[in-house]
Amino acid sequence: MKWLNVFPFLLVSALAHAAPFEWTAYGGDGNGQRHAPVAQITPQNVGNLELAWSFRTGELGEGFARAHDALTFEATPLLIGDTLYISTATGKVFALDAAKGTERWHFNADVPTWKDYSEMTTRGVSWWRDASGTADAACAQRILFATIDARLLAIDAKTGKRCSNFGANGEIALSNGVRAGERRVGQYEVTSPPAIAGDVAIVGSSIGDNGGSDLELGVVRAFDIRTGRELWHWDPIPRSAKMPADAANPDFAEVDGQQARWTGAANAWAPMAVDAERGLVFIPTGSASPDFFGGMRPGDTPWSDSLVALRAATGEFVWGRQLVHHDLWDYDTASQPILVELDHDGVKVPAVVQLTKTGQVFVFDRTNGSPLFPIEERPVPQDAVDGELPSPTQPFSSLPPLVSHAKVTPDDAWGMTFWDRNACRDTIAALHSEGIFTPPSVAGTIERPGYAGGSNWGGGAWDPQRQLLIANVMDLPFIVALIPRAKLDDEYDSGHYKGWEFGWQRGTPYGMRRTLLQSPLGAPCTAPPWGKLVAVDLAHGTIAWDRPLGTSRDRAPWPFWGTQGVPNMGGPMTTAGGLTFIGATTDNYLRAFDTASGAELWTMRLPAGAQATPMSYESGGRQFVVVAAGGHAKLGTTIGDYVLAFALPVVTP
């Protein structure tokens, strides 16, 4: 009988967690570990999980010009007290009863529908409590929420009403002072929640790629949460021809004057992490503009593609590490840094872990940026187009990479049939591939891993007891081709490149086009798994296990459902009960894995794609696992508007 398995864990949980755990920030707390210290659900009883409640936001992108090809639902809820808070890409925030899933209030930011948004997503909201004020006062607890039309709003966590003393009637326009213009309406956005450090809200931006060399500025800004007053700002790209020398990176002592004036982006679009004890905010930055030709931005372009630590109160630079030099591949630092206490060489070290699109794992002492696992500068391919000067070396972590860095050859061609395998072989033979960091070419270059990762915004989760980093990754090759400007319009209008994404890269000699390296049947041209769940033992610097993640169901016809390891977007979450939960895959399932062994223990079919990171908590004596299931238009999963909660069956006396 099921209740015999459930009752002991209910009793243990009730005794062990008299003070309820709250999920107070996107990654659980400011550390970004995505770990829930709740243990009612275990490997022994996880098979009994059932749907406890569901909530529908009603937000399916109606009226939005880009909903058909850009809408996602990537949000992870917060739990404060007995209330969940979750946001949608369409500019709404919902407060839900955590035990029942019923709505308490909702807020509408009135996001314009007509703009050509490069992304239609939000990954969640942030929460703040006024430690110096009266608990029952209006806006003593605030939800900070950033929108895709680049506004930062503060609303009362209890009522959902605007905090009128924040900015102008509860909001701040973030598009001012960043070189945003009418030419690119909808291309300057905010998609990740602000980082909260004491009474300071720190926010980055999401900037549409590849429009030109002089895109919007990737400035990170900090605001007083009570008033909305800007406290400081930091631009990853120095705006003068010279900057102070950095002993760790002497090549950053000077910046080309042209680069200082023109180059844009290098923006922090992924979530940040906060070390409250040390007063530090850790910022993952993206690539400088444009992504695939760097001739107009010679050198390494500090501090693009980096992990940077700033003083949260002042914006003072503390340390930084560039993880990709002179990026030509759109290898943004795309995932939230994870702050952990690491068992390293027999001592506990305050560490920061950074996953990357290259599939590498970098680990630093977060007090000073020194690598805890050695980093080696290795020579990389240099066969570039005229006007390009690739970095001669790139940083490689001594930790094992989570995806392949090997070149792709015709012998690697894969297909579901003999016919499409031969087509892939011919395609590969016509393209340039020398392995990771092969520069883009006019003829076409295979980029592996592709610009979607490796690891993307879903990041990783941490199991502190086992010292395991859990990461979902993709191993998908893409094709990138540079197009001489005189031929760009003709190629775009030719009709020969259906399904390719074009970028004009204005201000450079080349436009670009890119697409997945795939067969005529739409499957990747290299063998699966294309997606994996990987556990890295950071106490020993080894891979503990890896498993194919997901199946080809919902993306392939029935005879081919058995393909294991598919593309994924989202992230994992670990629990003290020894489980890792993840959606992310294209086959519309939520899964639970044994964190210690990697064994897949439970699957649940969902009504839409769960391209969001789950979270967990206890309420009313039950542990819930909650995930947003709303799909991902660019990944092609089923679109929906669901917030779903799973729990063990209720015990009836």
Side-chain angles (χ1 to χ4, degrees), residues 34 118 120 212 304 493 532 564 629 648:
R34 294 173 187 80
S118 59
M120 277 194 68
S304 64
D493 294 333
K532 298 188 296 182
Q564 298 294 310
L648 296 172

Side-chain angles (χ1 to χ4, degrees), residues 34 46 49 455 457-461 470-474 531-534 545 547-550 566-575 579-595 598-606 609-615 625-628 646:
R34 294 173 187 80
V46 67
L49 281 184
S455 287
W457 61 264
I470 311 297
N472 58 305
V473 296
M474 286 194 290
K532 298 188 296 182
L533 192 65
V534 185
W545 52 260
R547 302 286 183 268
L549 181 61
V566 296
N568 58 84
M569 282 286 177
M573 180 266 299
T574 62
T575 71
L579 293 167
T580 296
F581 290 89
I582 186 168
T585 56
T586 56
D587 62 358
N588 294 358
Y589 280 92
L590 180 66
R591 292 176 165 85
F593 293 81
D594 185 306
T595 301
E600 186 175 315
L601 302 177
W602 173 80
T603 60
M604 177 62 71
R605 182 78 170 156
L606 305 179
Q611 276 67 59
T613 301
M615 51 87 73
V625 175
V626 177
V627 69
F646 300 91

Side-chain angles (χ1 to χ4, degrees), residues 125-149:
V125 300
S126 300
W127 168 82
W128 173 82
R129 176 186 286 130
D130 188 349
S132 64
T134 304
D136 294 333
C139 289
Q141 293 189 53
R142 301 186 178 197
I143 298 298
L144 282 296
F145 172 49
T147 61
I148 58 173
D149 64 331

Side-chain angles (χ1 to χ4, degrees), residues 35 47 95 139 164 168 236 241 247 279 296 319 324 347 405 413 415 449 481 582 617 622:
H35 177 76
C139 289
S164 58
M296 316 308 292
W319 61 262
V324 177
V347 297
H405 289 169
I582 186 168
Y617 58 91
R622 303 176 80 188

